[in-house]
Amino acid sequence: MTAAVAERSRIWACPELGLHAVVDTTGSVRLGSPGRPDLACLVPLVEVTATGHGRLWSGERFIETAIGERLTYRDHETVEVGGGRERTTIRLTDAVSGLAAEVVLETGAGGSGGAGSAASGSVAESWAGVDPAGAEAAGAAGSVGTARRSAVGGFLRARVRLVNEGSVPVRLESVSTLTLGGIAEGSLDGLTLHWADNDWLAECRWRQAPYRDQVVPLSRSAHGHEGRGCFERYSQGSWSTGRHLPVAGITDRDGRAWLWQIESSAGWRFETGEREGAAYVALFGPDDAHHQWQHTLAPGQEFTTVPAVLVRTETGGLDAAFGVLTDHRRSIRRDHPDHRALPVIYNDYMNTLMGDPTTERLLPLIESAAAAGAEVFVIDAGWYDDDAQGWWDAVGAWEAAPNRFPGGLPEVLDTIRSHGMTPGLWLEPEVVGVRSPLAHTLPDEAFFRRGGLRVTEHGRHHLDLRHPAARAHLDEVVDRLVGEWGVGYLKLDYNINIGPGTENGPESPGAGLLGHHRAHLDWLASILERHPGLVLENCGSGGLRMDYAQLALAQLQSTSDQQDFLRYPPIAAAAPTAVTPEQAAVWAYPQPHFSTDEIAFTLTGALLGRIHLSGFLNLMSAEQFALVRSAISVYRDIRHEIHGGHPFWPLGLPGWEDSWITQGLRTADGALLTVWRRESPAGASGPGVVTIPLPHLRGSDPAPVVLYPTGSDCTTRWDRDRGLLTVQLPRTGTAALLRLTTASGRPR
């Protein structure tokens, strides 16, 4: 195909992402960054594996499918949807299988008007100082590019709707949400691959490796075929982030970055590999091979994939890309005043009552939490427990335990309100203990089943929220707690991995899991419709279900169950890679036996997210309590900057054993920066000085100020010409929060 033909066949373009959708000579629509006229490095816009319609080249890849190659262009249309965004729908059809695909591509620039975006313009603009108005305009009819664009970067959000227009059923085994090729053609040796491992107590552990270490060159010209393998990551079971984050990326030596996120509470998978001398990326929801997902479409039936988003930035590397992704996350969330108010939350659980609350234990904590400046008080697990055998396998009714609260739990909730705080309760709505009466009164069809048997995991059954009895039960619980008791905050936990899913009739387990989770999201939305002021915290044994299917609805996300305050910094620092800062709930649990350094250390780590205060504040000395009050006061002074800030990591994303860790927020006035100093893995203290590059502030005078802890012996020195901040923390196990304000009030 000549370059001229390629240009005429371009049906869609997104300049800030460097992407084009083109129709080749067979009518196939391909998406990517075409760097040569034959378009061979690109991949079909949609890839589908179905029983009886496999792949054209067998291996581990889920691209090069027979249906994907056969899907041909039908038509497309583009509409503006506001906020500097456009939505393009491209329609395809396959005459052999009878499938029709409707691909929806929504585009926008960083900072394009989403809720909570900084008023100072796009994050990409602030990284590079580029005027978005000077960006390239798209040249093809029907292409994206008429709205205000940033030459630095933007995002593309996609989903695919399949319809069976044929006369026979089609059994789907995988469907891509987004595929694109042509990434960094001819320069794969200069690419770096980034991904994040995730585990209980060890969330958001980012890894990086040269792309060629994971996708090795195979001398394709000698074999005439592409490789059979790829680099892939995927979820397992019902903890969507129990293994890895559904977020990963690629960077090159020149600062360009490609970053993607799959928005699924059920199964997901991504892969990247080499195709015709360039990199490709393919993003999926659940599939048969990894999640036991199959979905049969009878004639006339349809299926819609989970959404996924791709971010690309031209400069600034991962920091710039995560800034744009943060804007995207803010833009897709359900609007809620909590995102702007950011109240201080006290929770009685972590390293404190640990699931054993009583009126006697709670009253002094309520008084001290209010005196410290907390605005929400959450009674965590155990408030329903009067069972001599323990509550774990008896939960489900969610009635207050009378022996724990002689005057009734509502009396304690009233006490919380009388101290000026909103009362909150812990709830694990999707499970019913095997010893709960509900395990016998609800029908079998209201629970997860496989092979006709009710699934049991760690002493619990799992509700299927597609069943009206399951949903009615949970509606009654929430309406009683919120409507009758006046609870204003619910911490929704999820502590079991139920496996691949549930079989409801002929459906596959993976399809059952996806169906349940979509019903779960609908249930969450219905709660907020009935109780619009209610705040929902998403928790899955900490951060094991940390995805933007749920976080588009829930106001907060628990980042970890980590109880060792010295282990928390890498989690707290990396949390904004998975969740917006104003949704990232970070534990701060100062204790009376802590030193002043230890109290300040655990509090400092929560100041750029959402404080989840805990600890026996009522037993502290006046000096210790003043240190807590001071942290809360600082937080209340800066929180209006958090919900519009963009995260950055001047020393790079943290390693699990790093001695020095930094994480900042770029704000309209400059930057806020947290610096932690820990012992080295070998136990040596190492030097007490670190040099932190802040190139975006080079040439300015940010006047670093230590905001917390007050009276800190942290000292700083700024090198204006080189943009380097030197920070001295004389002792290990210390941390500080700094403010850097430029003379103009904005970073350069």
Side-chain angles (χ1 to χ4, degrees), residues 380-459:
D380 207 282
W383 58 268
Y384 37 78
D385 176 29
D386 256 353
D387 194 304
Q389 299 181 55
W391 58 264
W392 181 264
D393 59 357
V395 296
W398 309 112
E399 298 281 356
N403 291 333
R404 291 183 172 274
F405 311 104
L409 181 56
E411 177 187 66
V412 180
L413 301 178
D414 287 342
T415 302
I416 293 170
R417 276 188 289 271
S418 73
H419 281 79
M421 297 183 292
T422 299
L425 287 177
W426 180 95
L427 199 65
E428 195 169 0
E430 292 164 83
V431 301
V432 170
V434 295
R435 294 193 300 110
S436 170
L438 279 124
H440 308 288
T441 58
L442 289 174
D444 280 345
E445 294 78 11
F447 295 95
F448 273 35
R449 295 167 296 151
R450 292 198 289 272
L453 301 175
R454 196 183 290 188
V455 179
T456 303
E457 175 71 10
H458 197 177

Side-chain angles (χ1 to χ4, degrees), residues 308-568:
V309 64
L310 172 77
V311 163
R312 181 180 183 271
T313 51
E314 190 67 23
T315 60
L318 277 184
D319 281 2
F322 275 116
V324 177
L325 184 59
T326 298
D327 283 335
H328 165 72
R329 289 167 170 168
R330 287 169 174 156
S331 72
I332 64 171
R333 292 183 314 208
R334 180 189 181 97
D335 187 39
H336 197 286
D338 179 80
H339 296 145
R340 295 173 290 279
L342 276 59
V344 177
I345 299 156
Y346 182 94
N347 182 301
D348 70 26
Y349 184 83
M350 191 60 72
N351 293 346
T352 310
L353 299 188
M354 299 298 289
D356 194 16
T358 65
T359 298
E360 181 181 11
R361 295 185 181 116
L362 286 168
L363 291 182
L365 293 177
I366 292 169
E367 184 174 354
S368 59
E375 295 152 302
V376 177
F377 189 101
V378 179
I379 302 172
D380 207 282
W383 58 268
Y384 37 78
D385 176 29
D386 256 353
D387 194 304
Q389 299 181 55
W391 58 264
W392 181 264
D393 59 357
V395 296
W398 309 112
E399 298 281 356
N403 291 333
R404 291 183 172 274
F405 311 104
L409 181 56
E411 177 187 66
V412 180
L413 301 178
D414 287 342
T415 302
I416 293 170
R417 276 188 289 271
S418 73
H419 281 79
M421 297 183 292
T422 299
L425 287 177
W426 180 95
L427 199 65
E428 195 169 0
E430 292 164 83
V431 301
V432 170
V434 295
R435 294 193 300 110
S436 170
L438 279 124
H440 308 288
T441 58
L442 289 174
D444 280 345
E445 294 78 11
F447 295 95
F448 273 35
R449 295 167 296 151
R450 292 198 289 272
L453 301 175
R454 196 183 290 188
V455 179
T456 303
E457 175 71 10
H458 197 177
R460 274 104 175 269
H461 301 307
H462 195 294
L463 292 173
D464 186 339
L465 284 180
R466 295 173 296 178
H467 194 279
R471 181 153 174 167
H473 158 61
L474 292 186
D475 282 343
E476 183 278 327
V477 169
V478 170
D479 291 345
R480 169 166 43 87
L481 302 183
V482 179
E484 297 179 22
W485 292 4
V487 170
Y489 184 109
L490 288 176
K491 176 177 179 175
L492 304 181
D493 211 341
Y494 187 74
N495 288 302
I496 60 171
N497 188 334
I498 201 62
T502 180
E503 298 166 341
N504 185 12
E507 76 178 355
S508 66
L513 182 63
L514 181 59
H516 160 74
H517 275 304
R518 285 176 165 169
H520 179 232
L521 297 177
D522 184 71
W523 177 69
L524 293 176
S526 73
I527 291 174
L528 294 170
E529 287 292 331
R530 296 198 307 277
H531 307 287
L534 179 66
V535 174
L536 301 178
E537 176 190 341
N538 184 48
C539 182
S541 282
L544 300 187
R545 205 163 67 165
M546 189 160 41
D547 61 75
Y548 262 86
Q550 294 193 109
L551 285 169
L553 289 166
Q555 285 68 60
L556 291 93
Q557 170 66 52
S558 175
T559 55
S560 187
D561 281 350
Q562 177 57 251
Q563 293 177 248
D564 183 347
F565 69 95
L566 292 173
R567 284 292 187 190
Y568 216 127

